[in-house]
Structure formats: C-alpha cells, structure tokens
Amino acid sequence: GQAAVQLSAADDDRVHGVIAAARRVRLTGALVGVALVGGIAYLTGEPSAPWILLASLYPLTHALELSTLFLRNQIAWSRQVLARAIAAGLSLGCVVILRVSGTTDPAVYLCAVAAGSAIGNLLLHLVGRKHLPAPGGPPTAVRTLLIVALPMGAASICQQLYFWIDNLFVRAWNGEAWLGRYNLAVRVMSFGIMAGVYASLAALPWLTRQHMQGRLAAALVRLTQPVLAVAGLGAGLLWPYAADVLELIGGDPHFGLAEHALHWLLLATASVYLGAPLLGGVVATGASRAVLAISVCALVVNLVGNTWLVPTHGIEGAAIATFATEVMVAAGALVALARRGVVLRERLLGWSLGPAAFLVGYLLSTAVHG
C-alpha cells in the first residue's frame, strides 16, 4: 500500500497501472496464504479445517481495497474510515451473535471476524472506484512495484519483531505475571502511538509531492513539530497517573507495579511521534532500502538492549530498550534524509516545543494529582 502511494501520489496517470500491478501482487500473496493456512489445516486433521479455509480466503479481498488509492493520494479519509467502521461493527455484531447463540468453536469466530473485514474491503472498493481518474497512463510492471515494496515489507517485519520480541525476554527472566503487567503498559503505548503512526501514513502522498517539488524538509518540519508537541503534552499529563491508569485498565492493583515501565514507554511514545513522520519522509524520497536499514538497526538495538537490561532491571529494562529503539528510528531517519539532501534547518527553535509541552503537562498534572 505504501509503495502504491509512493509511486502514484505525484502522477494521477499512474494510478490505474499501479493498482493493476498491486492487485496481482496481493492476489498472488493471498493465494499462497490460502494454500498454506487452509492446506495445513486439512493436512494436520484440524477439526475446524473448513472454517479455517473459508477464513483464509479473506486476504483475497485486499485486492479490492486498492481502489481507494486515489482517495489516499488526495488524503480524503472520511469515506474510508466510515467503511472500516461499518466493517468493524459487522465483525463485532457477528461475534456477539455467536456468543449469545453459545458457539464455542474459535474457528467460527475467526471466520465471522474475517467476513466482516472482507465486507469492509468490498465497501472500500465500491467507495473508491467512483473517484478513480479516467483510465490511462503507462502500465506499471510488477517488478517496479516490488523493488519499492519488498524492502518496506521486510522493514515491517523488523518493526513487528522489535515491538513484540521483548515478551520473550520478560517471560524468560521475570515470568508470566510480570509479562502480563508489562503487556498492559505496552497496550497503553499502542493506543498512544496510533495518531502519530496514522498521521504519518495519511501524510505520505503530500510528503511525496513535496519531495518532487524540492520542499520535503519544510514539509517535515511543519508536520513533525506540532505532533511532537502534542505527544509531549500527552506524555506529561499522563506521567503522574501512570499507576492509576494501569490499575484502572487491569482491574487489579498489581498492574500498578508497571508504573515505571510505563514512564519509559511514554517517552518511547513521544519518540514515535518524532520518528514516524521522519521515516515517512524517507519513504517519500523512494529510499525503501534505507527504511529497511533503519528497521534492522532498530531491531539490533532492541535485542541488545533487552539482553543487557531485562536480566537486571526486569520490565523497566524492556521499556528502556523500547525507548532506545524508537530514538534509533528517529536518528536513523534523520541521517537517511540528510544523505539525500533533506536537512531540517528551518524553525530550529520549534523542536523545543515537544520537551516544553511535556514539562507543562507534567506540572499541570502533578498539581492536580498531588
């Protein structure tokens, strides 16, 4: 999806060619998935194999979702969000119906959720196709798309690894109880970073066009400084209430023991609001291999950090490693941008807004919390 945006954002004539190539890639990948998931379910004698096979067909509908490419390039997300909300509502409704009816087979629930997501992709196709430009322009070779997409796909795997692999270290050194407390703090971070991550994805077409016009540095400053300030303010406001939030969500005072880990994860959250837009800027330049290199380095930092810190500092050490990882992503993105002539020299004082907003939020929250 990111590769499709990067290739077409600055040239509407390429939209249909890019969609056609991306659909071939997604359909091929989905069919391989059906063969693996559905086939293994039958080969291993899984009692719910038919339901699993049916659910495994859902990724085929991701080819339909590509019809929204032009809307993404125009940063017009309202219809897409509505379609996704309807799909999520359908999935939830199906789960509720199955629960009320007494269904206990997990594969049936899996199929119900997949059905809701498939309907969502169909809705996105119906919404997006109405806004596609007139067909025309040169076709896009699958190879061209893959050259851009494969490094970013590998980078996404690295990102998932460094976000979750600390579970292995915490479980091995501290046990299941501490892992549960840590995972709740990570869940708070996951919700906290959503706005920053999605803002960067939504801004990718604009960043790509700004890069084509030689204005990427100024665009990144305009995007990153305000979101970093908002993230700093949010982290500062939540800081004194870390234990209260964990106990409230977890429903048990023991979850408050992850307070200090959450403090480090709040700093990591603010770092994401810096790193995600900058990494989006790297994607906008077409440097997908640089994105992979940054993600690999971040994974190494995370592994080394967890190996070193978890045995002595427990879940707080894992959180510190996560913070260091996100700082690495931001620093790596800055270096990658500078190597491509994109140096963020404008409004240098504006970078102090993030720490200043954190301090303001912390002082206000401390005054209320006591």
Side-chain angles (χ1 to χ4, degrees):
Q2 284 182 297
V5 168
Q6 197 274 328
L7 289 172
S8 65
D11 187 356
D12 292 346
D13 289 338
R14 298 194 68 181
V15 168
H16 282 277
V18 170
I19 288 176
R23 279 182 175 155
R24 288 197 291 273
V25 172
R26 284 192 173 180
L27 287 173
T28 301
L31 288 172
V32 171
V34 171
L36 288 173
V37 176
I40 290 174
Y42 273 99
L43 289 175
T44 57
E46 168 64 45
S48 300
W51 289 110
I52 294 174
L53 176 61
L54 187 59
S56 72
L57 296 173
Y58 143 69
L60 290 166
T61 65
H62 278 301
L64 295 172
E65 181 243 2
L66 286 163
S67 296
T68 61
L69 178 59
F70 184 72
L71 287 176
R72 288 187 219 170
N73 289 346
Q74 299 302 311
I75 318 182
W77 283 88
S78 58
R79 297 178 182 88
Q80 299 178 68
V81 171
L82 178 60
R84 286 294 185 201
I86 292 172
L90 288 172
S91 293
L92 179 59
C94 291
V95 167
V96 171
I97 291 171
L98 290 173
R99 180 68 180 86
V100 171
S101 66
T103 302
T104 58
D105 188 345
V108 179
Y109 284 90
L110 176 67
C111 196
V113 173
S117 298
I119 292 171
N121 285 332
L122 176 60
L123 291 175
L124 287 169
H125 168 67
L126 296 175
V127 167
R129 68 175 183 176
K130 299 177 182 178
H131 301 276
L132 289 172
T140 298
V142 169
R143 182 177 181 275
T144 300
L145 184 71
L146 290 177
I147 287 173
V148 179
L150 285 177
M152 289 197 290
S156 296
I157 294 174
C158 292
Q159 290 161 8
Q160 289 297 311
L161 282 172
Y162 69 63
F163 198 80
W164 295 110
I165 204 167
D166 47 9
N167 285 342
L168 299 179
F169 292 88
V170 173
R171 179 184 285 113
W173 287 97
N174 303 107
E176 296 287 344
W178 281 103
L179 178 62
R181 295 165 189 145
Y182 178 67
N183 270 335
L184 185 60
V186 172
R187 183 65 61 187
V188 173
M189 177 186 172
S190 298
F191 281 113
I193 66 176
M194 281 184 179
V197 171
Y198 286 122
S200 302
L201 288 174
L204 179 58
W206 174 64
L207 293 175
T208 301
R209 291 189 285 268
Q210 292 295 301
H211 171 63
M212 295 294 183
Q213 298 166 14
R215 299 198 296 260
L216 180 58
L220 285 171
V221 170
R222 288 173 57 193
L223 172 64
T224 307
Q225 288 183 354
V227 298
L228 180 60
V230 171
L233 180 63
L237 289 171
L238 189 58
W239 192 281
Y241 290 94
D244 301 303
V245 169
L246 291 170
E247 291 173 10
L248 177 65
I249 299 175
D252 190 312
H254 288 97
F255 283 103
L257 296 173
E259 174 186 12
H260 296 304
L262 182 54
H263 284 159
W264 283 104
L265 293 177
L266 288 175
L267 296 177
T269 299
S271 300
V272 170
Y273 279 76
L274 173 62
L278 296 178
L279 197 61
V282 178
V283 174
T285 67
S288 54
R289 291 185 179 180
V291 175
L292 175 57
I294 292 166
S295 300
V296 169
C297 290
L299 177 58
V300 171
V301 168
N302 189 266
L303 290 171
V304 172
N306 278 290
T307 302
W308 178 30
L309 294 171
V310 171
T312 55
H313 292 78
I315 63 172
E316 189 174 349
I320 294 172
T322 299
F323 171 56
T325 300
E326 299 301 344
V327 171
M328 168 64 219
V329 171
L334 281 172
V335 171
L337 288 167
R339 292 183 63 183
R340 285 152 186 84
V342 182
V343 182
L344 310 186
R345 296 190 180 96
E346 299 183 17
R347 296 166 53 183
L348 292 178
L349 190 60
W351 296 108
S352 65
L353 290 174
F358 173 84
L359 182 60
V360 170
Y362 174 76
L363 293 175
L364 289 173
S365 192
T366 301
V368 175
H369 186 265

